[in-house]
Amino acid sequence: MTRLPRGFIHARTDIMTFTTCPRPLNHIGISVPDIDRAIAWYGEVLGYRLFSGPFDLVASPPALAQFQDALGERCQHVRIAHLSTGGGVGIELFQPVLPATQPGTTDIRFDQPGPFHICVTDPDIEGLIGRIVATGGTQTSRIWDDRPPSGIYRMVYCRDPFGTVIEIHTHSCEIVQGWRNGTQEAGQ
């Protein structure tokens, strides 16, 4: 009997089909200028719980090679903390110490590669916006009906006090985005 490669589903003479299992998202790293304030803010506003840290990572033996391989030679000292979210995905707060955090921008950097926002689900969208604004964050867009004319699938963009863009949806990603087939335009 011939052994098939891992991930191989079935064999036909005219086609080979492979599958890739979805990998769970482990954590999202967010750079902040003040890790202690960020831990308090994410706990108070989003309900995230600290489970590790904060602790310092310094580019020195025995971790020097790994540290510089992962973060580059410029990075000499960071503070890190890990928070748990409601869905099992972690948030890694990352405070650059040496070199220090650079000032942020008010632009939403959607035009550069890499993540440009995080998204949370909260059916009380107005309540979460209120908590964000009351604790130093900002609302950066109006609340939009994401599946017109429903009025119940809504979304908004905000920023935390440290500059991270936070999108809020009233429903899960699969419910909000799953109906799109690639032919709809935003707002339709």
Side-chain angles (χ1 to χ4, degrees):
M1 178 172 191
T2 305
R3 295 192 134 254
L4 299 175
R6 184 179 183 99
F8 193 77
I9 294 178
H10 67 283
R12 290 182 20 195
T13 56
D14 61 334
I15 188 170
M16 287 194 226
T17 305
F18 289 86
T19 184
T20 302
C21 296
R23 285 1 183 234
L25 193 57
N26 184 289
H27 72 272
I28 299 167
I30 299 175
S31 186
V32 296
D34 183 334
I35 201 164
D36 297 311
R37 279 187 52 224
I39 290 167
W41 191 88
Y42 278 90
E44 177 184 338
V45 176
L46 298 179
Y48 297 168
R49 302 286 179 246
L50 177 69
F51 70 88
S52 174
F55 53 88
D56 290 85
L57 290 179
V58 179
S60 61
L64 178 64
Q66 179 183 353
F67 191 87
Q68 291 187 336
D69 181 53
L71 302 174
E73 290 185 12
R74 276 189 15 161
C75 188
Q76 297 295 309
H77 181 190
V78 295
R79 295 190 74 213
I80 294 177
H82 293 271
L83 310 175
S84 60
T85 69
V89 175
I91 297 289
E92 179 182 50
L93 297 176
F94 188 90
Q95 178 188 342
V97 177
L98 185 62
T101 303
Q102 298 297 309
T105 177
T106 57
D107 293 338
I108 295 178
R109 300 315 307 241
F110 64 87
D111 57 344
Q112 294 182 351
F116 70 91
H117 72 280
I118 65 170
C119 185
V120 300
T121 304
D122 192 328
D124 181 11
I125 199 167
E126 290 89 355
L128 184 52
I129 293 167
R131 287 193 306 281
I132 289 171
V133 171
T135 57
T138 57
Q139 180 179 345
T140 61
S141 78
R142 66 181 227 195
I143 298 172
W144 289 91
D145 182 356
D146 208 29
R147 285 176 68 174
S150 76
I152 62 168
Y153 301 101
R154 299 178 306 141
M155 62 82 57
V156 66
Y157 274 85
C158 296
R159 278 190 190 271
D160 71 13
F162 318 103
T164 299
V165 176
I166 300 175
E167 181 180 6
I168 307 166
H169 276 272
T170 54
H171 294 77
S172 73
C173 186
E174 293 88 356
I175 291 172
V176 172
Q177 305 299 337
W179 68 280
R180 299 180 195 270
N181 66 12
T183 60
Q184 291 85 4
E185 295 182 22
Q188 291 185 335

